[in-house]
Amino acid sequence: MLNLKVDIDKHSGFCFGVVYAIEMAEAILEEEDYLFCLGDIVHNDEEVNRLEKKGLKIITHEKLKDLQNEKVLIRAHGEPPSTYKLALNNNLTLIDASCPVVLKLQNRVKNSFDKAEKIYIYGKPGHAEIEGLLGQTSNEAVVFQDVDELDISTLPKSITLYSQTTKSTDKFYEIQKMLQESGIQVNFNDTICRQVSNRDKELREYSKKFDQIVFVSGTKSSNGKVLYQVCKNTNPNTHFISNINQLDSNWFAENQSVGICGATSTPMWLMENVREKLLTF
């Protein structure tokens, strides 16, 4: 036995938007045999598998077009107006679990678009939240992940800048500064969710406290990739896993301290399972 001292980061796990969506899904599945969900309810395969066993059916936007007279859950990432229009045409009942922070951002982007502002969004192209935001602008907003992607010389003299809610706060303010220093007037909107963005600083502090870190996250989670790197940069002895079968006892030495943490899409029950497995080494 390695006699590991194992701790779970109490701040890790689902953000409130994900909790809201999952609780809504579970409440319906207690009453009904199945429920359709548009896209993965959370970017964590283990949690998706758990809910699928309860009757959750994950569908794509293509499948949604063929669906009629059914209930469909809208996950925390939100959806563009076209989804709501399709639901109306197909007599679908939407269970809207869009995160309130995302909905507020969608409304702000829509208001800017209605005022004919030139909208730029710091975010990941193709991400579900970004698709919802683009829909508020008839897909006219410009999405970028780095200033290098923009041709500063052709940018409008005045732009309205938003951010995907889960992006880095420091990077967003850095982008604002770079654009302003290039002579562009920036109508700056800090729309980053602090419950997510503050995880950077919290995990830096957490990672310093242990000999080893086990970071638990789904491979599809953008947030997970970023936060894993935060831990890895702070503590080189950081290991990324998606399930308990990926744990390797050779990573650890006798009497070492191990911290378990994860993404905002990582369920607490999964981190608890990781702890139980580590205690058997």
Side-chain angles (χ1 to χ4, degrees):
M1 292 286 287
L2 293 175
N3 190 35
L4 299 174
K5 299 172 184 63
V6 185
D7 178 82
I8 298 177
D9 173 30
K10 67 179 185 293
H11 296 296
S12 283
F14 293 153
C15 62
F16 74 87
V18 172
V19 170
Y20 177 62
I22 289 174
E23 287 181 348
M24 196 174 286
E26 288 187 312
I28 292 171
L29 290 170
E30 283 179 10
E31 305 292 331
E32 302 179 21
D33 294 334
Y34 67 91
L35 173 65
F36 291 105
C37 178
L38 188 53
D40 287 345
I41 190 167
V42 62
H43 288 151
N44 186 279
D45 290 341
E46 298 295 306
E47 180 66 4
V48 169
N49 291 340
R50 183 185 75 84
L51 291 168
E52 283 181 330
K53 288 174 183 174
K54 289 178 174 253
L56 193 70
K57 298 178 184 292
I58 307 298
I59 60 170
T60 62
H61 285 80
E62 282 302 311
K63 173 69 175 175
L64 185 72
K65 293 175 184 175
D66 301 325
L67 214 58
Q68 294 195 354
N69 309 311
E70 294 281 5
K71 286 183 180 177
V72 180
L73 182 79
I74 300 297
R75 58 191 174 167
H77 296 307
E79 283 291 320
S82 56
T83 298
Y84 295 87
K85 184 178 179 181
L86 177 62
L88 199 59
N89 293 338
N90 288 11
N91 196 36
L92 298 172
T93 301
L94 294 183
I95 313 299
D96 200 338
S98 299
C99 172
V101 177
V102 173
L103 285 178
K104 182 179 179 180
L105 172 54
Q106 286 188 353
N107 289 332
R108 291 178 69 176
V109 169
K110 176 68 165 61
N111 288 336
S112 290
F113 180 68
D114 289 344
K115 295 174 185 174
E117 296 173 10
K118 301 297 182 183
I119 301 170
Y120 284 71
I121 303 173
Y122 167 50
K124 181 182 178 182
H127 189 280
E129 181 185 323
I130 288 295
E131 292 301 305
L133 296 176
L134 280 173
Q136 310 301 321
T137 72
S138 297
N139 292 319
E140 291 181 20
V142 176
V143 178
F144 68 99
Q145 295 201 84
D146 200 284
V147 172
D148 293 345
E149 299 170 25
L150 304 174
D151 183 354
I152 300 293
S153 64
T154 61
L155 286 187
K157 294 299 180 188
S158 177
I159 68 170
T160 295
L161 184 64
Y162 287 100
S163 173
Q164 183 178 324
T165 61
T166 54
K167 298 300 278 185
S168 161
T169 308
D170 291 344
K171 180 73 179 289
F172 190 40
Y173 277 83
E174 188 181 304
I175 287 169
Q176 177 202 21
K177 183 181 177 184
M178 291 173 71
L179 289 171
Q180 288 178 331
E181 287 176 348
S182 299
I184 295 165
Q185 183 181 339
V186 181
N187 175 15
F188 183 72
N189 299 275
D190 183 344
T191 51
I192 293 173
C193 176
R194 286 304 185 269
Q195 189 182 9
V196 176
S197 68
N198 287 343
R199 299 288 298 121
D200 290 36
K201 299 180 184 69
E202 291 168 352
L203 281 181
R204 282 191 193 96
E205 291 305 310
Y206 185 78
S207 300
K208 293 175 186 175
K209 299 176 183 177
F210 302 90
D211 298 317
Q212 305 279 347
I213 292 292
V214 176
F215 189 88
V216 189
S217 172
T219 55
K220 297 178 185 176
S221 172
S222 300
N223 170 257
K225 290 171 186 172
V226 171
L227 293 180
Y228 163 70
Q229 204 56 55
V230 166
C231 292
K232 187 76 172 175
N233 291 343
T234 307
N235 185 337
N237 297 321
T238 296
H239 313 276
F240 185 103
I241 67 166
S242 295
N243 59 66
I244 60 171
N245 297 324
Q246 294 171 338
L247 285 168
D248 187 343
S249 59
N250 293 318
W251 293 340
F252 312 101
E254 197 172 344
N255 297 319
Q256 280 194 324
S257 60
V258 183
I260 301 170
C261 50
T264 53
S265 54
T266 303
M268 183 56 71
W269 64 261
L270 181 55
M271 289 185 284
E272 289 170 350
N273 286 354
V274 169
R275 178 180 61 189
E276 294 306 310
K277 179 76 172 178
L278 287 171
L279 292 174
T280 66
F281 288 167

